[in-house]
Amino acid sequence: LGLGLGGGGKAVALDSESAVAQYRLGWVRSWQQRDEEAETNFDRAVDLVPDLSEVFTYQGVHYLHTGDLQRTL
């Protein structure tokens, strides 16, 4: 996960407007239980590309892991 965080952080640093980089960094942070940071990345990805379905998939799994079933839907 540390390698993923490093790569994800670099990708976002290189292109903060990349929705893919944002949600992938959010996914790594989610697995590290850095929930607020993960949610920030997921929200940013949605802001950038509102119809990118992968974001909602990963975001939903994140909320499932955190026990926030209401937001999972």
Side-chain angles (χ1 to χ4, degrees), residues 33-68:
Q33 297 178 334
R34 294 168 61 176
D35 299 331
E36 288 183 26
E37 293 170 280
E39 291 168 20
T40 297
N41 289 114
F42 291 132
D43 291 343
R44 177 73 176 130
V46 170
D47 289 343
L48 291 167
V49 183
D51 60 347
L52 185 62
S53 63
E54 292 92 342
V55 176
F56 297 106
T57 300
Y58 286 98
Q59 190 175 40
V61 172
H62 165 74
Y63 289 133
L64 185 64
H65 282 275
T66 64
D68 192 345

